[in-house]
Amino acid sequence: MDKNEKITLEVIQNKIHAGQRISMLALYDYPFAALAQQAGIDSIIVGDSAAMVNYGYDSTLQADMDMMIRHTQAVKRGAPNVFLIGDMPFMSYQPTIETAIRNAGRFIAEGHADAVKLEGGTTVLDTVHALVKATIPVVGHLGLTPQSAAITGKFKAQGRQAQSAVDLVNQARQLEQAGICMLILECVPNTVSEAIVQKLSIPVISIGSGPACHGQVLVLFDILGIYPRFTPKFVRKYAQLAPTITQAIQAYIRDIAQGTYPAQEHTYAMKPGEEEEFRKMIE
Ligand code: KIV
């Protein structure tokens, strides 16, 4: 696919109908966004995982609207052609529908996102409906939902029992009826993802939810081996950059200590004849 083509929801749907899989990354800044677009990624989500991965907090609850908008703007500048999703942070959509519309609108108007994502099923149906009515494309998020998991402590795979699996399928259908344009499933058994893919007609993207989904999303810093705290079971690391980065910084520190950096080629000379003049002037 042409990297200069803007990836819209229609392009994503067409890819799926042509039997292709959708690639998505969660990332938060300009340089990585530019590299991801250059590499040919279909979609980027500016996840509230930024609070943990970029800011070092223990949960995603500390992400706020201003933080998320700034990151969304930076990512948009780096990757203007991907399908860009802004992740609505904790308490940006829960208090009232009006709050949700105002904050979702900021992602579109100020962040130039193509869609917003929010977590939850039955409890957010009215909100989803209102956002869609306000012409804001919404991505749903079911399964392990980190914002509520940070409160309930349920950081584990969801839908592993028949009844909870059926609940997930029902919530996915309700979200689709409420108008979501895409669904992210986090830490759900592949059997359940497969059923949801069969019953829905929108793109279903997995994060730790198996190959039956139309596409996959992972956090960029996880696949690059940069995030130092923990790696979820479902992550495949495509690089181990942490030691490489540490070694580069150590080499820099060593060169400064030894006086081998900066070398001649890293310095500026005065214009011809000016040096002598300068020395005379400061005598
Ligand atoms: O914040 C995040 O990284 C997410 C993932 C589901 C992509 O929401």
Side-chain angles (χ1 to χ4, degrees):
M1 180 170 155
D2 180 0
K3 284 179 196 146
N4 295 319
E5 183 187 350
K6 168 69 190 161
I7 301 180
T8 59
L9 198 58
E10 194 185 351
V11 172
I12 287 179
Q13 291 274 23
N14 289 344
K15 276 189 88 165
I16 291 170
H17 289 145
Q20 296 169 27
R21 292 200 170 83
I22 306 305
S23 58
M24 186 189 290
L25 277 170
L27 59 88
Y28 327 102
D29 58 26
Y30 170 83
F32 281 117
L35 290 172
Q37 178 171 298
Q38 176 62 28
I41 202 81
D42 293 313
S43 176
I44 293 176
I45 177 163
V46 182
D48 61 356
S49 51
M52 299 174 76
V53 178
N54 254 12
Y55 289 81
Y57 289 115
D58 289 334
S59 82
T60 60
L61 299 189
Q62 283 73 27
D64 63 38
M65 274 306 294
D66 288 341
M67 173 198 285
M68 296 303 297
I69 294 292
R70 278 292 171 98
H71 285 285
T72 307
Q73 290 168 335
V75 168
K76 181 71 183 187
R77 284 192 285 271
N81 295 339
V82 306
F83 186 73
L84 181 60
I85 304 167
D87 195 7
M88 296 196 70
F90 184 57
M91 284 301 139
S92 69
Y93 58 96
Q94 291 92 342
T96 64
I97 285 181
E98 201 185 301
T99 312
I101 295 177
R102 192 168 347 99
N103 285 324
R106 285 190 65 193
F107 272 105
I108 308 293
E110 296 174 40
H112 302 284
D114 297 302
V116 299
K117 172 178 85 63
L118 48 80
E119 297 182 4
T122 322
T123 52
V124 295
L125 292 177
D126 289 345
T127 307
V128 169
H129 193 259
L131 292 176
V132 173
K133 205 168 153 211
T135 68
I136 298 170
V138 182
V139 175
H141 182 169
L142 286 175
L144 195 168
T145 46
Q147 289 177 12
S148 47
I151 295 160
T152 59
K154 288 186 183 160
F155 273 107
K156 53 182 190 213
Q158 301 292 305
R160 296 184 71 198
Q161 283 157 327
Q163 188 53 58
S164 59
V166 170
D167 286 350
L168 276 176
V169 175
N170 288 338
Q171 291 189 65
R173 288 171 111 162
Q174 289 172 332
L175 281 171
E176 185 180 44
Q177 277 159 16
I180 60 166
C181 62
M182 186 183 282
L183 178 65
I184 291 180
L185 289 178
E186 180 158 355
C187 296
V188 167
N190 192 50
T191 316
V192 184
S193 303
E194 203 173 12
I196 291 175
V197 165
Q198 273 168 15
K199 297 209 181 285
L200 268 52
S201 57
I202 54 172
V204 180
I205 308 296
S206 148
I207 174 159
S209 298
C213 293
H214 299 116
Q216 302 291 325
V217 56
L218 287 174
V219 171
L220 177 65
F221 279 21
D222 282 340
I223 71 167
L224 295 183
I226 296 178
Y227 185 58
R229 285 204 180 147
F230 66 91
T231 307
K233 165 188 158 73
F234 54 79
V235 169
R236 178 178 286 169
K237 287 191 184 179
Y238 288 85
Q240 289 282 5
L241 293 189
T244 309
I245 293 170
T246 308
Q247 280 159 23
I249 297 170
Q250 284 169 339
Y252 172 63
I253 296 168
R254 189 193 55 226
D255 284 358
I256 293 172
Q258 294 175 349
T260 52
Y261 176 83
Q264 186 70 32
E265 67 268 26
H266 305 120
T267 62
Y268 298 94
M270 290 189 75
K271 291 199 167 152
E274 294 294 321
E275 194 168 323
E276 206 178 319
E277 180 73 11
F278 169 64
R279 290 193 191 287
K280 274 191 220 147
M281 286 165 79
I282 59 160
E283 256 167 27

